[in-house]
Amino acid sequence: METNKQLTIGLFGFGVVGEGLYKVLQQTPSLKATIKKVCIKNSGKKRNAPDSLFTTDRNELLNDRDINIIVEMIDEAEAAFEIVTTAMRNGKDVVSASKKMIAENLSALLEVQLQTGRSFLYEPAACASIPVIRNLEEYYDNDLLYSIRAIVNGSTNFILTKIAEEGLDFKEALLLAQQAGFAESNPLLDVEGYDAVQKWSILLLHAYGIIENPEAILFTGIQHIHPMDAGVAKARNQQIKLVAQAQKLKNGKIAAFVLPQFVKQDDHLAFVKDEYNGVVIESSFADKQFFYGKGAGSFPTASAVLSDISALRYQYKYEYKKLYHHKPHELTNDFFLRVYVSFDQLSYIPREEFEWIEEWYVQDDRKYLAGVIAFSNLTQNNWWKENNTSLILFPEPVIEEIETRKLKKRSLELAGII
Amino acid sequence: METNKQLTIGLFGFGVVGEGLYKVLQQTPSLKATIKKVCIKNSGKKRNAPDSLFTTDRNELLNDRDINIIVEMIDEAEAAFEIVTTAMRNGKDVVSASKKMIAENLSALLEVQLQTGRSFLYEPAACASIPVIRNLEEYYDNDLLYSIRAIVNGSTNFILTKIAEEGLDFKEALLLAQQAGFAESNPLLDVEGYDAVQKWSILLLHAYGIIENPEAILFTGIQHIHPMDAGVAKARNQQIKLVAQAQKLKNGKIAAFVLPQFVKQDDHLAFVKDEYNGVVIESSFADKQFFYGKGAGSFPTASAVLSDISALRYQYKYEYKKLYHHKPHELTNDFFLRVYVSFDQLSYIPREEFEWIEEWYVQDDRKYLAGVIAFSNLTQNNWWKENNTSLILFPEPVIEEIETRKLKKRSLELAGII
């Protein structure tokens, strides 16, 4: 067994996760992993560990030959990138929790891994306690993964749950999330979908070998969810969720986006309430799998860090199979979505750009329509994110054979059925 | 990257899983794994592969120096044990799907792994497509795993679902399961809990470092579930599930058993319907996690085999951390269970052996009681499995502080409240 290797860790960041990690490693000598030095930004703060443990000089860790693992958990993407790449170049394996930094530097980080041969693991960066990266790496081969749909942001899911179950409006629910510690005091990163799309960018790499900057993936958050939307969901016995989705089309290309979605009660994602995360994976071999757990918070994050550290004991590396050992997949914008759009004024909505409209509803001050629109229309325009407009996907939103559908619809119209 | 190693496989067994595996490996050269030889029992059968691939002589595989991996998927425990141990002694890594063989030979198999230093992986042996063994190995450290509860047998879960949702009786539901291919023509191994307890024995090793023969773990199946039980479950808005459970008690010892259980609608296991499996893990770090997927069948099993093969590429081994790197846990019989028992005649039930009885119900020909009984009473006696008697646990069945509970109950009785 190779498990006798002593792991000597240099830790960047000493927030709740870092401190929790320090305590666990200290109390569990059998893990044979110790934190030798912690690099912090602010040396003035009082901390629950000996002063000698801390430094503000990153090179004390990066140049220490005893340290064979760097665990990076800081909040600044640029500094984090510097740290993890230097650490690998200096012969150290790295565990990182910085999703923004990773998502925005996928190519460069892959390059450094190839050049240095070091391990770079980041399970804590996506869905925390759910081992989704490792399972995507190990369990789904290229041609077999049909789709992956996930709730990857706990804060927004908490807010949506409160809106649905307790009838709160968005602002009240957000306040509750902040009070419960599930949303930052500046919650825009969660609420507007930035956090979700960063995680999605990372997972697309492990699911399909796709390297794509988060900003290039279509996304929005839940900031415009209106009480009427919640009412419509309730009337349909559905729930609104912020769903990150990727799906293989018949032409082999991948449709991917992060958008609010009506979710049926028998959808596995309907099971995911409050601040939890969930991932549904459909593949031809394993059929439908569902992973569920806490996606954020100090303990779930620390559990993911620990498991990555533990994997380094046997030199585990991501193989990036779908990228290196297969023809990687490509994203496409060439498909259509079934959408619900609620809005204040009809003039905000480019009706002529819909393939067809199936439903209209007008109330005093808020209206909605349901219809089918080209995905590329959404990527090229912003009308659906502006003027308090709220766009929500219907269940099974992706439509590929638009011509067949159009013909069918027209014949039904001619027959006077619709 | 170490992924360039060519894997040359010797396969034992060519049933649906074996054949599926052969096809996938053939169609996916990027996996760099080929099956060189397949050992079968019956050379007469027509098979969808060249004749030259097959042999009936196991030594042709076990003594072939080119073959570096043995994949064993045969139905006979004794022969399987011979094959996997010889393979490891001959310097080969092994993937096995034989849960019975593994569960009944845990000590011997650990010993051979230590002696030979080879990898012995068996994810397909428990919950197939759900990567539960690997996740228990990697994600839950000794002191942190509070409990694990699981539905590990798809056939019985299919039957219970049909009883609950379509009002079938046990025999009708069993027939349906057989027609759907979810139960063997001789279904006793599933229905009476043997299959479940074998898997549970394997998972106890990875969860808690416990080595225990399946027969030494208290278990039963669903063979005596009565229509009255299904009615009681329905009236309580609960479902009956065959639950494998292990839970850490306050004294650090482990309570473990496989028994039917009433499951509340908000229990994650209530989500697991039909032939699916599910695992709920509670730990202090990751909180509550839920894994869900297909637990049997050719494709889900093949997916687990593939992932184990893929793990051998980077020399992955189970570390058996909870056994080797911690003080392993012990099982205990020293706790109490809240049970429901339905029966035909009162004389079958040793009423005096209950700590107390909370509820009685008498109908023409079937009766039930609800009460608290020592677990050791169940391990030492068989009354609860005989005479068509049906025992089902209540939600949160494990009681540790029996004296406190007794006192409380007595004072409520004295006060005339109950």
Side-chain angles (χ1 to χ4, degrees):
Chain A
M1 302 242 161
E2 291 149 339
T3 57
N4 291 319
K5 190 181 170 192
Q6 178 68 39
L7 304 179
T8 305
I9 297 168
L11 174 65
F12 284 84
F14 203 72
V16 281
V17 183
E19 190 180 326
L21 184 67
Y22 170 71
K23 280 191 186 145
V24 168
L25 294 179
Q26 222 185 11
Q27 286 159 17
T28 323
S30 55
L31 291 176
K32 286 185 188 140
T34 45
I35 295 177
K36 185 175 176 188
K37 208 84 189 174
V38 180
C39 183
I40 49 173
K41 202 178 164 187
N42 178 353
S43 63
K45 258 192 215 166
K46 179 82 200 119
R47 302 180 197 266
N48 296 318
D51 282 351
S52 60
L53 193 68
F54 298 97
T55 176
T56 54
D57 175 10
R58 65 171 74 158
N59 290 321
E60 266 195 58
L61 283 63
L62 295 171
N63 295 333
D64 185 331
R65 285 170 169 251
D66 283 353
I67 289 176
N68 44 26
I69 295 179
I70 292 292
V71 175
E72 177 279 306
M73 293 192 283
I74 66 175
D75 231 1
E76 296 153 64
E78 270 184 56
F81 179 75
E82 272 299 302
I83 288 164
V84 305
T85 52
T86 309
M88 284 190 273
R89 292 219 165 85
N90 290 1
K92 302 177 194 314
D93 294 326
V94 176
V95 177
S96 170
S98 297
K99 49 190 166 284
K100 181 171 190 292
M101 178 276 285
I102 298 168
E104 290 176 350
N105 295 281
L106 292 174
S107 295
L109 290 166
L110 285 165
E111 188 62 27
V112 178
Q113 287 172 78
L114 279 178
Q115 285 166 1
T116 64
R118 302 321 309 173
S119 293
F120 177 53
L121 305 181
Y122 40 84
E123 195 68 77
C127 302
S129 74
I130 307 179
V132 60
I133 296 178
R134 197 100 60 95
N135 280 295
L136 283 172
E137 275 288 307
E138 302 307 324
Y139 274 81
Y140 306 95
D141 214 331
N142 198 31
D143 354 60
L144 306 175
L145 188 67
Y146 171 63
S147 73
I148 165 167
R149 296 170 66 241
I151 291 169
V152 297
N153 182 277
S155 314
T156 47
N157 203 57
F158 180 89
I159 293 169
L160 290 170
T161 305
K162 293 302 161 198
I163 290 174
E165 296 191 348
E166 295 172 23
L168 304 186
D169 69 21
F170 176 75
K171 273 182 195 158
E172 293 166 332
L174 172 58
L175 192 65
L176 202 64
Q178 288 176 314
Q179 286 165 347
F182 297 131
E184 307 294 326
S185 50
N186 174 3
L188 292 186
L189 289 181
D190 289 325
V191 164
E192 299 190 353
Y194 292 96
D195 176 87
V197 77
Q198 285 158 7
K199 291 168 180 164
W200 208 232
S201 163
I202 296 173
L203 294 184
L204 282 174
L205 172 57
H206 292 277
Y208 291 112
I210 288 169
I211 300 175
E212 190 66 86
N213 211 289
E215 275 103 71
I217 299 167
L218 186 86
F219 76 97
T220 190
I222 61 166
Q223 63 272 34
H224 292 151
I225 299 291
H226 187 275
M228 175 193 260
D229 310 341
V232 168
K234 198 161 193 171
R236 290 170 183 255
N237 194 25
Q238 297 177 348
Q239 297 175 48
I240 302 170
K241 300 283 186 189
L242 184 61
V243 177
Q245 178 160 346
Q247 175 177 332
K248 193 186 290 189
L249 304 183
K250 291 196 174 60
N251 62 11
K253 296 190 176 175
I254 305 298
F257 44 82
V258 178
L259 292 169
Q261 198 168 121
F262 291 113
V263 162
K264 292 184 190 170
Q265 292 305 338
D266 63 356
D267 188 325
H268 298 3
L269 294 182
F271 183 82
V272 182
K273 309 261 182 177
D274 297 325
E275 75 275 21
Y276 281 84
N277 283 191
V279 183
V280 179
I281 296 172
E282 274 194 87
S283 68
S284 51
F285 250 39
D287 195 84
K288 202 176 263 193
Q289 288 194 293
F290 176 45
F291 297 88
Y292 167 92
K294 283 208 172 157
S298 58
F299 280 168
T301 307
S303 88
V305 174
L306 263 181
S307 95
D308 277 352
I309 292 175
S310 158
L312 290 175
R313 212 177 270 291
Y314 55 89
Q315 286 86 46
Y316 179 71
K317 286 173 193 170
Y318 299 143
E319 293 189 63
Y320 300 101
K321 282 183 218 170
K322 287 100 179 184
L323 179 64
Y324 294 135
H325 304 307
H326 296 274
K327 193 168 170 293
H329 284 91
E330 280 172 44
L331 288 181
T332 180
N333 291 339
D334 192 15
F335 59 94
F336 300 82
L337 289 176
R338 280 193 70 219
V339 301
Y340 157 104
V341 182
S342 78
F343 49 89
D344 294 334
Q345 287 189 34
L346 192 50
S347 61
Y348 299 151
I349 308 300
R351 281 173 293 171
E352 67 290 354
E353 305 211 17
F354 280 75
E355 297 300 311
W356 65 78
I357 288 170
E358 291 174 347
E359 206 179 326
W360 280 105
Y361 181 83
V362 179
Q363 208 177 273
D364 294 350
D365 53 351
R366 188 77 176 175
K367 295 114 188 137
Y368 77 74
L369 65 79
V372 171
I373 194 160
F375 184 75
S376 55
N377 189 288
L378 302 182
T379 60
Q380 287 158 19
N381 301 295
N382 274 329
W383 61 263
W384 56 281
K385 292 198 232 183
E386 289 165 353
N387 295 314
N388 205 25
T389 301
S390 161
L391 178 140
I392 304 175
L393 300 182
F394 283 112
E396 289 149 41
V398 174
I399 295 177
E400 297 187 63
E401 307 98 332
I402 195 75
E403 292 309 325
T404 321
R405 294 281 191 108
K406 266 187 193 158
L407 277 175
K408 189 175 166 201
K409 188 161 166 17
R410 199 164 309 144
S411 65
L412 288 173
E413 279 167 352
L414 287 172
I417 292 170
I418 56 174
Chain B
M1 301 245 163
E2 290 151 338
T3 56
N4 291 319
K5 190 182 170 192
Q6 178 69 40
L7 304 179
T8 305
I9 296 168
L11 173 65
F12 283 84
F14 203 72
V16 280
V17 183
E19 190 179 327
L21 184 67
Y22 170 71
K23 281 189 187 147
V24 169
L25 294 180
Q26 223 184 11
Q27 286 159 16
T28 323
S30 56
L31 290 177
K32 287 187 188 139
T34 45
I35 294 177
K36 184 175 177 188
K37 207 84 190 174
V38 181
C39 183
I40 48 173
K41 203 178 164 187
N42 178 353
S43 62
K45 257 192 214 164
K46 181 83 197 119
R47 304 184 196 262
N48 295 319
D51 282 350
S52 60
L53 192 68
F54 297 96
T55 177
T56 54
D57 176 10
R58 65 171 75 157
N59 290 321
E60 267 195 60
L61 282 64
L62 294 172
N63 295 333
D64 185 331
R65 285 170 168 251
D66 283 355
I67 290 176
N68 43 27
I69 294 180
I70 293 292
V71 175
E72 177 279 306
M73 294 192 283
I74 66 175
D75 230 359
E76 296 153 62
E78 271 185 54
F81 180 74
E82 272 300 302
I83 289 163
V84 305
T85 53
T86 308
M88 283 191 273
R89 293 220 163 85
N90 291 1
K92 302 177 194 318
D93 293 327
V94 176
V95 177
S96 169
S98 299
K99 50 190 165 283
K100 181 171 190 291
M101 178 276 283
I102 298 167
E104 290 175 350
N105 294 282
L106 292 175
S107 295
L109 290 165
L110 285 166
E111 188 64 27
V112 178
Q113 287 172 80
L114 280 178
Q115 285 166 2
T116 63
R118 303 318 312 172
S119 292
F120 179 53
L121 304 181
Y122 40 84
E123 195 69 78
C127 301
S129 74
I130 308 178
V132 60
I133 295 178
R134 199 98 62 93
N135 280 296
L136 283 173
E137 274 288 308
E138 303 308 324
Y139 274 80
Y140 307 95
D141 215 330
N142 198 33
D143 356 57
L144 306 175
L145 188 66
Y146 170 65
S147 74
I148 166 169
R149 297 170 64 241
I151 291 169
V152 296
N153 182 278
S155 313
T156 47
N157 203 56
F158 180 88
I159 292 169
L160 290 170
T161 305
K162 292 302 163 198
I163 291 174
E165 296 191 348
E166 295 173 23
L168 304 184
D169 70 20
F170 176 75
K171 273 182 194 157
E172 292 167 331
L174 172 59
L175 192 65
L176 202 65
Q178 287 176 314
Q179 286 165 347
F182 297 132
E184 306 293 327
S185 51
N186 175 3
L188 291 186
L189 289 181
D190 288 325
V191 165
E192 298 189 355
Y194 292 97
D195 176 87
V197 77
Q198 285 158 8
K199 291 168 181 165
W200 208 233
S201 163
I202 295 173
L203 294 184
L204 282 174
L205 171 57
H206 292 277
Y208 290 112
I210 288 170
I211 300 176
E212 189 66 87
N213 210 290
E215 276 103 71
I217 299 167
L218 187 86
F219 76 96
T220 190
I222 61 166
Q223 64 271 33
H224 293 151
I225 299 289
H226 187 275
M228 176 193 260
D229 309 340
V232 169
K234 199 162 193 171
R236 289 170 184 258
N237 195 24
Q238 296 177 347
Q239 297 176 47
I240 302 170
K241 298 283 186 191
L242 184 60
V243 177
Q245 178 159 346
Q247 177 177 331
K248 193 186 291 191
L249 304 183
K250 293 199 173 60
N251 63 12
K253 296 189 178 178
I254 304 298
F257 43 81
V258 178
L259 292 168
Q261 197 168 124
F262 291 112
V263 161
K264 291 184 191 170
Q265 293 304 340
D266 64 355
D267 187 325
H268 298 3
L269 294 182
F271 183 82
V272 183
K273 309 260 182 179
D274 297 326
E275 76 275 22
Y276 281 83
N277 283 191
V279 183
V280 180
I281 295 172
E282 274 195 86
S283 68
S284 51
F285 250 39
D287 196 83
K288 204 176 262 193
Q289 287 194 293
F290 176 45
F291 297 88
Y292 167 93
K294 283 208 172 160
S298 58
F299 280 169
T301 307
S303 87
V305 174
L306 264 181
S307 95
D308 277 352
I309 291 174
S310 158
L312 290 176
R313 214 177 268 290
Y314 55 89
Q315 287 83 46
Y316 179 70
K317 287 174 192 166
Y318 299 143
E319 293 189 62
Y320 300 101
K321 283 182 218 170
K322 287 100 181 183
L323 179 64
Y324 294 136
H325 303 308
H326 295 274
K327 193 168 170 292
H329 284 91
E330 280 172 43
L331 288 181
T332 179
N333 291 339
D334 192 15
F335 60 94
F336 300 82
L337 290 176
R338 280 193 71 218
V339 300
Y340 158 103
V341 182
S342 78
F343 49 89
D344 294 335
Q345 287 188 34
L346 191 51
S347 61
Y348 298 151
I349 308 301
R351 282 174 291 172
E352 67 290 355
E353 307 212 13
F354 280 75
E355 297 300 310
W356 65 79
I357 288 170
E358 290 175 349
E359 208 180 325
W360 280 104
Y361 181 83
V362 180
Q363 208 176 274
D364 295 349
D365 53 352
R366 188 77 176 175
K367 294 114 190 140
Y368 77 73
L369 66 81
V372 172
I373 194 161
F375 184 75
S376 54
N377 189 288
L378 302 181
T379 60
Q380 287 158 18
N381 301 294
N382 274 330
W383 61 263
W384 57 280
K385 293 199 234 182
E386 288 165 353
N387 294 317
N388 205 25
T389 300
S390 161
L391 178 140
I392 304 174
L393 300 183
F394 283 112
E396 290 151 42
V398 174
I399 295 176
E400 297 187 62
E401 307 97 333
I402 195 75
E403 293 308 326
T404 321
R405 294 282 190 107
K406 265 186 193 161
L407 277 176
K408 189 175 166 199
K409 191 166 162 21
R410 200 164 308 144
S411 64
L412 288 173
E413 279 169 350
L414 287 173
I417 293 169
I418 57 174

